[in-house]
């Protein structure tokens, strides 16, 4: 029988804290949230490994949960407050949305894979996160129906600056994502102030590319 509470503490102490994640609210949330509930039944023993874990092997592209360390650092630099209205893009099976729900005022989890959206809805309902809603739709479109947002978080990488999502931010809103494909990616924090966008790199990070966020093909003459 796996001691998931012990595995969760090892994940936080060995993967998250050692990556300079120090926010006490975030640490407490990661210690409390049972990550195994967001994994396929036959994979729950792997829920606390230090990797981007595939949660949909049949779909194309394969969808993955961010490494706990990358997710923790990304949420920390986003500086989530308890009044924030958050859009979680590419929530997959819902772990990131559930984690954000314990830090923010309200969270919208966006997922375009029907199977993953159903899994996320069921897992979050079982946890009783009343401030959270899972919606289905193309990830690159965002969810303008629930906008504007204080914060948007991408649960994967993008090869382009996500301009459609940035337009859904409130004045002063933030967007956190991994920009770039492969090991050369950078976690970025963008801010929209009076219609002007600024962005700065926060740390090196690698993440699986989210569907709809590829760079357009270039024509060669």
């Amino acid at each position: 029988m796996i001691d998931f509470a012990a595995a969760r503490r090892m994940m936080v102490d060995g993967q998250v804290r050692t990556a300079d994640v120090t926010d006490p609210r975030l640490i407490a949330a990661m210690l409390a949230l049972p990550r195994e509930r967001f994994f396929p039944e036959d994979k729950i023993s792997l829920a606390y490994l230090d990797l981007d874990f595939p949660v949909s092997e049949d779909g194309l592209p394969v969808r993955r949960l961010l490494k706990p360390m990358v997710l923790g650092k990304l949420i920390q630099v986003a500086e989530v407050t308890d009044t924030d209205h958050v859009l979680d893009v590419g929530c997959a099976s819902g772990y990131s949305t559930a984690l954000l729900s314990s830090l923010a005022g309200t969270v919208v989890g966006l997922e375009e894979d029907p199977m993953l959206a159903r899994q996320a809805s069921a897992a979050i309902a079982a946890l009783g996160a009343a401030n959270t809603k899972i919606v289905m739709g193309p990830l690159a479109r965002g969810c303008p129906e629930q906008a504007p947002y204080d914060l948007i978080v991408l649960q994967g990488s993008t090869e382009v600056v996500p301009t459609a999502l940035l337009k859904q931010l409130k004045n002063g809103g933030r967007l956190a994502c991994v920009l770039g494909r492969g090991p050369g990616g950078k976690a970025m924090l963008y801010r929209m102030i009076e219609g002007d966008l600024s962005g700065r790199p926060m740390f090196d990070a690698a993440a699986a590319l989210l569907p709809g966020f590829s760079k357009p093909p270039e024509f060669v003459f």
Side-chain angles (χ1 to χ4, degrees):
M1 190 69 173
I2 300 171
D3 185 342
F4 286 115
R8 194 154 52 248
R9 180 164 290 281
M10 288 178 64
M11 176 193 77
V12 171
D13 290 344
Q15 300 173 39
V16 179
R17 290 183 192 269
T18 55
D20 296 323
V21 177
T22 58
D23 184 314
R25 293 174 64 235
L26 176 55
I27 292 293
M30 296 188 85
L31 283 170
L33 183 60
R35 196 165 190 256
E36 68 276 6
R37 293 194 187 180
F38 301 89
F39 277 65
E41 188 63 32
D42 60 341
K43 302 285 179 60
I44 59 172
S45 63
L46 309 175
Y48 295 97
L49 296 183
D50 180 23
L51 49 78
D52 293 322
F53 199 87
V55 288
S56 66
E57 297 179 350
D58 297 331
L60 291 174
V62 172
R63 299 294 303 284
R64 298 174 181 272
L65 298 183
L66 286 179
K67 278 185 179 183
M69 177 270 287
V70 173
L71 179 60
K73 292 190 76 168
L74 201 61
I75 291 176
Q76 178 167 266
V77 300
E79 298 181 337
V80 187
T81 74
D82 59 8
T83 59
D84 278 345
H85 180 47
V86 181
L87 177 64
D88 189 31
V89 178
C91 68
S93 57
Y95 174 74
S96 56
T97 302
L99 185 61
L100 286 163
S101 76
S102 57
L103 302 170
T106 52
V107 184
V108 177
L110 176 63
E111 182 49 57
E112 66 180 39
D113 182 309
M115 180 192 73
L116 288 175
R118 288 193 296 271
Q119 291 177 1
S121 295
I124 286 171
L127 289 171
N131 63 338
T132 302
K133 181 178 183 179
I134 302 296
V135 298
M136 274 193 59
L139 303 185
R141 176 180 177 271
C143 186
E145 296 81 4
Q146 302 289 328
Y149 302 99
D150 298 288
L151 171 65
I152 299 175
V153 184
L154 270 65
Q155 298 301 324
S157 69
T158 174
E159 293 183 319
V160 294
V161 177
T163 53
L165 299 181
L166 290 162
K167 292 176 182 176
Q168 297 173 32
L169 288 173
K170 294 179 182 178
N171 182 41
R174 301 95 66 208
L175 183 146
C177 68
V178 176
L179 182 64
R181 198 169 190 168
K186 296 281 186 184
M188 299 288 297
L189 184 65
Y190 294 95
R191 290 185 185 271
M192 184 68 75
I193 301 176
E194 302 297 342
D196 291 328
L197 175 67
S198 65
R200 61 190 178 107
M202 305 302 291
F203 58 93
D204 296 337
L209 184 67
L210 283 174
F213 290 88
S214 300
K215 190 180 294 184
E218 297 179 356
F219 293 97
V220 178
F221 297 95

